[in-house]
């Protein structure tokens, strides 16, 4: 596949991952009085393993910025964007490992989901300090957040390893190191 075509396909896929992130983060989120359940990390993990750290960070940045603007601008907007950017950096870094195995993908998803929960909890604490609302309820929120982590982790660990090989077979979405699928299109 010619480089301009590959770049256009990659950018189109990135835009679709951003849209999927926003859809999962804003519209398909299950909200309870104490926590929210979302699978918005799935497009970040998929993008990281298909295209690498640069694309994962761009998708996370664009998606989280749109998400924050939908919820409303606040002085702590960067604080709430940071956790998903850290997850994208972690996933992109792990995706750069040459001998990628399904176990590496699963371990990356586990580490990313734990990192997201820890960073979101820290962001909640820092937001309360910066904005000035009471943080006494934070201890009450830890058990539901851990339950949320467990459910989200189970779903993400199941989805990403299933979707990644399927998406990798699409010639335009073949990971950077796998040129065989892309070369099939040039041969036709």
């Amino acid at each position: 596949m010619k480089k301009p075509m590959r770049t256009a396909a990659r950018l189109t896929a990135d835009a679709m991952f951003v849209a999927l992130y926003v859809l999962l983060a804003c519209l398909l989120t299950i909200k309870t009085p104490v926590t929210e359940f979302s699978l918005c990390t799935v497009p970040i993990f998929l993008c990281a393993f298909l295209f690498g750290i640069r694309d994962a960070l761009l998708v996370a940045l664009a998606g989280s910025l749109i998400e924050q603007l939908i919820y409303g601008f606040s002085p702590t907007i960067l604080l709430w964007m940071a956790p998903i950017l850290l997850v994208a950096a972690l996933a992109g870094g792990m995706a750069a490992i040459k001998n990628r195995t399904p176990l590496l993908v699963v371990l990356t998803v586990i580490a990313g989901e734990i990192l997201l929960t820890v960073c979101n909890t820290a962001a909640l604490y820092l937001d309360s300090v910066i904005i000035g609302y009471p943080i006494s309820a934070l201890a009450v929120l830890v058990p539901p957040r851990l339950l949320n982590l467990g459910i989200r982790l189970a779903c993400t660990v199941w989805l990403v390893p299933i979707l990644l090989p399927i998406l990798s077979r699409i010639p335009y979405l073949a990971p950077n190191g796998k040129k065989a699928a892309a070369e099939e299109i040039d041969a036709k």
Side-chain angles (χ1 to χ4, degrees), residues 30 35 59 69 110 145-146:
I30 299 170
T35 190
V59 168
L69 293 176
I110 291 170
R145 292 182 79 72
L146 292 175

Side-chain angles (χ1 to χ4, degrees), residues 92-145:
M94 295 302 285
I97 294 175
K98 296 258 186 236
N99 295 326
R100 188 183 316 153
T101 64
L103 179 62
L104 177 71
V105 173
V106 169
L107 291 177
T108 302
V109 170
I110 291 170
E113 291 293 354
I114 292 171
L115 178 66
L116 183 67
T117 299
V118 168
C119 290
N120 274 338
T121 304
L124 185 62
Y125 172 77
L126 291 172
D127 189 58
S128 68
V129 170
I130 293 168
I131 301 295
Y133 56 84
I135 58 171
S136 58
L138 192 58
V140 176
L141 294 177
V142 171
R145 292 182 79 72

